[in-house]
């Protein structure tokens, strides 16, 4: 069986090479198999790797963050071919042949320059953030320009505008319940009077009929 190597191409231990043994082994953080250091997203027992003649078979061990083969999360044993990638936590491993690794060198991906370049030191003088000037919403009192200058409102008793004043409106609003009560009482009194008159008329008619019946009989 050809020799295979799992090389960490991205992650805290980028550049580390893990030769595949003849027997299945586990990758995690518990130290019983291959231990990945510095990756807090790797479970204690994360994935089991079983070497085969043409690569390896990987199986997720109910890890917390899952196992991915070539970008796809696996839920059952999956085949990892040479050149395939295995992602556990934030550690990306690539399965490579031993002879190819020795001839072509490492496959570690260099970090972008923007992540490796030094940041400029802060200047000795702290920068001053200008204070934002927010315009006030308040405006000084001004004479309205939509009222003609020749319009003069006379305030005197008996003016046509007095009925629109707020004081008169409020007084009428307070008197409205009283007027309504008086109106209801008047309607009730008229109803009772009409009912009494109807009762008196019916009584007089009844007396007249009885009187007409009693006189002939006598």
């Amino acid at each position: 069986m050809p020799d295979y190597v799992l090389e960490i191409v991205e992650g805290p231990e980028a550049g580390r090479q893990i030769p595949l043994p003849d027997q299945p082994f586990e990758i995690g953080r518990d130290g019983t198999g291959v231990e990945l250091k510095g990756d807090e997203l790797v479970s204690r027992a994360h994935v089991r790797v079983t070497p085969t003649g043409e690569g390896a078979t990987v199986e997720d061990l109910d890890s917390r963050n899952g196992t991915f083969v070539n970008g796809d999360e696996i839920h059952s044993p999956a085949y990892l071919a040479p050149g395939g990638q295995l992602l556990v936590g934030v550690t990306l491993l690539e399965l490579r042949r031993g002879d190819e690794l020795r001839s072509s060198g490492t496959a570690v991906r260099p970090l972008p320059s923007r992540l490796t370049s030094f940041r400029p030191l802060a200047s000795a003088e702290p920068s001053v953030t200008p204070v934002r000037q927010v315009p006030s919403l308040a405006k000084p009192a001004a004479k309205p320009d939509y009222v003609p200058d020749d319009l003069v409102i006379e305030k005197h008793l008996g003016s046509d505008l007095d009925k629109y004043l707020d004081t008169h409106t409020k007084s009428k609003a307070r008197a409205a319940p009283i007027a309504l009560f008086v109106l209801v009482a008047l309607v009730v009194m008229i109803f009772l009077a009409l009912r009494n008159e109807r009762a008196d008329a019916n009584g007089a008619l009844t007396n007249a009929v009885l009187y007409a019946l009693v006189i002939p009989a006598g």
Side-chain angles (χ1 to χ4, degrees), residues 25-40:
F25 65 97
E26 296 181 358
I27 298 177
R29 290 192 300 110
D30 59 358
T32 57
V34 175
E35 182 180 4
L36 296 181
K37 301 177 181 179
D39 192 343
E40 298 296 332

Side-chain angles (χ1 to χ4, degrees), residues 43 45-48 58-68 73-78 88:
S43 300
H46 198 111
V47 63
R48 179 181 292 112
V58 294
E59 180 182 359
D60 183 73
L61 300 178
D62 295 329
S63 62
R64 180 179 56 184
N65 297 307
T67 300
F68 298 81
E73 186 175 5
I74 63 173
H75 302 281
S76 60
V88 290

Side-chain angles (χ1 to χ4, degrees), residues 143-153:
K143 182 179 179 180
D145 55 358
Y146 51 84
V147 179
D149 296 336
D150 56 350
L151 179 60
V152 179
I153 302 178

